[in-house]
């Protein structure tokens, strides 16, 4: 059974399931702050870890696997979440690699009515410094309603780069000024704090989810 961290009330009308990025666990500062912001906006948020990351808690240092190899783990997490009694609309997604994995299983889950949408936080469009190694092929024909938040100085995909990609009309991009890969801005440069961006993120997700 998948282990989950929950934020928000169990009476929330919509649940968001989030997976972590390649290098940091589900209870990282960034993931925790994001989950709490979404919970404050009225969602129930569930976080989980892929096996390689969970193993690190027991000193089993495993490198991140190829993203597509953990697709079955994400599918199982959805089933385990439902087995715990979580009902109602479900949005899946995650931070960086977690969002990428969710995006690869989204259409199958959406077509059979298991999920309502996809939420990606800092999508890894390409590895840093390797702008031609795109991870976007499956995004061209994506049918699932999708919301992607990206910082304007994210090394995994800048505004100028993303503007040239062939992305499905089902995908809505939201750019956070001066945000890095964790969506954090430099307040001295942008005037925005991390809390400002999290509030914008949560409010935007709420408005988007209300349209699903």
């Amino acid at each position: 059974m998948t282990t989950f961290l929950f934020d928000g009330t169990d009476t929330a009308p919509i649940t968001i399931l989030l997976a972590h990025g390649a290098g940091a666990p589900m209870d990282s500062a960034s993931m925790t702050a994001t989950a709490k912001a979404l919970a404050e906006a009225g969602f129930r948020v569930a976080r989980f870890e892929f096996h390689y990351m969970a193993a690190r808690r027991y000193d089993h240092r495993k490198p991140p696997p190829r993203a597509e190899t953990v697709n079955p783990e994400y599918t199982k997490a959805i089933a385990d979440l439902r087995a715990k009694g979580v009902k109602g609309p479900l949005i899946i997604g995650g931070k960086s690699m977690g969002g990428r994995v969710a995006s690869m299983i989204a259409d199958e889950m959406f077509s059979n009515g298991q999920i309502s949408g996809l939420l990606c936080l800092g999508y890894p469009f390409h590895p840093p410094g390797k702008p031609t190694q795109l991870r976007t092929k499956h995004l061209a024909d994506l049918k699932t309603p999708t919301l992607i938040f990206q910082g304007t100085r994210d090394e995994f995909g800048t505004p100028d780069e993303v503007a040239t990609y062939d992305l499905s009309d089902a995908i809505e991009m939201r750019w956070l000024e001066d945000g890095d890969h964790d969506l954090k801005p430099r307040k001295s440069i942008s005037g925005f704090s991390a809390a400002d961006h999290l509030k914008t993120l949560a409010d935007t997700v709420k408005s988007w989810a209300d349209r699903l």
Side-chain angles (χ1 to χ4, degrees), residues 145-175:
T146 300
L147 184 59
I148 298 178
F149 284 92
Q150 202 83 352
T152 59
R153 59 187 178 94
D154 191 334
E155 296 179 318
F156 290 76
T158 66
D160 287 346
E161 290 169 343
V162 175
T164 67
Y165 300 157
D166 181 17
L167 301 179
S168 164
D169 290 340
I171 297 174
E172 297 181 33
M173 292 290 307
R174 293 291 184 273
W175 292 96

Side-chain angles (χ1 to χ4, degrees), residues 85-99:
V86 174
K87 303 183 187 308
L90 176 64
I91 294 168
I92 65 170
K95 171 78 180 71
S96 192
M97 186 187 85

Side-chain angles (χ1 to χ4, degrees), residues 1-6 17 26 47-51 54 58 72-86:
M1 179 67 75
T2 306
T3 299
F4 298 99
L5 285 180
F6 287 100
L17 178 61
M26 64 181 174
R47 288 174 274 165
F48 78 98
E49 287 180 341
F50 299 117
H51 296 332
Y58 304 97
E73 293 184 42
Y74 207 121
T75 302
K76 183 177 186 297
I78 294 172
D80 287 349
L81 190 65
R82 293 302 194 190
K84 281 184 169 289
V86 174

Side-chain angles (χ1 to χ4, degrees), residues 16 38 43 119 147 149 201-210:
I16 300 177
L38 289 168
F43 296 99
L119 174 63
L147 184 59
F149 284 92
L201 183 152
D203 289 346
T204 304
V205 174
K206 181 73 167 61
S207 298
W208 169 75
D210 286 345

